[in-house]
Amino acid sequence: MAAYIVAGVKSIADQAKFEEYRAHVGATMAPYGGKYLAAAPIDNKEGNWPAMVTAIIEFPSMDAINQWYDSEGYRELKQLRQRSANLDMVFVEGF
């Protein structure tokens, strides 16, 4: 069953480092079947969604997301992202 990451970037502290993250993260997801479905500024219609940019990323399963998230290949990039941007991230299974 497909699973998704929904991530909302609330602020970016270091644009150059965040751009470095963005340039390399896709390559770390590919071996686990991850692919971006959307990544753009939002058009907030209801409620208070604090993100300036939201990304939706599809993986083949929740297990694949967790394998990628905990992988050696993503470890350094994850730390780079955590130092350069403030965001919320959730994992959710599809139907």
Side-chain angles (χ1 to χ4, degrees), residues 6-13 15 18 21-22 40 42 49-55 81 84-89:
V6 180
V9 179
K10 297 190 287 189
S11 64
I12 298 173
Q15 188 68 43
F18 191 67
Y21 169 82
R22 289 181 56 205
I42 64 163
W49 187 261
M52 21 186 269
V53 173
T54 296
R81 176 187 49 78
S84 64
N86 178 21
L87 62 83
D88 292 325
M89 180 186 298

Side-chain angles (χ1 to χ4, degrees), residues 19-84:
E19 290 302 321
E20 181 182 347
Y21 169 82
R22 289 181 56 205
H24 298 287
V25 69
T28 69
M29 293 186 310
Y32 300 92
K35 62 181 179 182
Y36 278 95
L37 299 181
I42 64 163
D43 182 8
N44 189 26
K45 296 295 185 200
E46 294 187 31
N48 183 21
W49 187 261
M52 21 186 269
V53 173
T54 296
I56 302 170
I57 306 163
E58 180 180 53
F59 281 80
S61 67
M62 189 66 77
D63 187 51
I65 289 176
N66 285 303
Q67 286 179 15
W68 164 75
Y69 188 79
D70 295 331
S71 71
E72 184 69 32
Y74 184 55
R75 182 171 294 130
E76 286 183 34
L77 279 178
K78 183 184 346 179
Q79 292 170 354
L80 180 65
R81 176 187 49 78
Q82 291 169 337
R83 288 191 308 267
S84 64

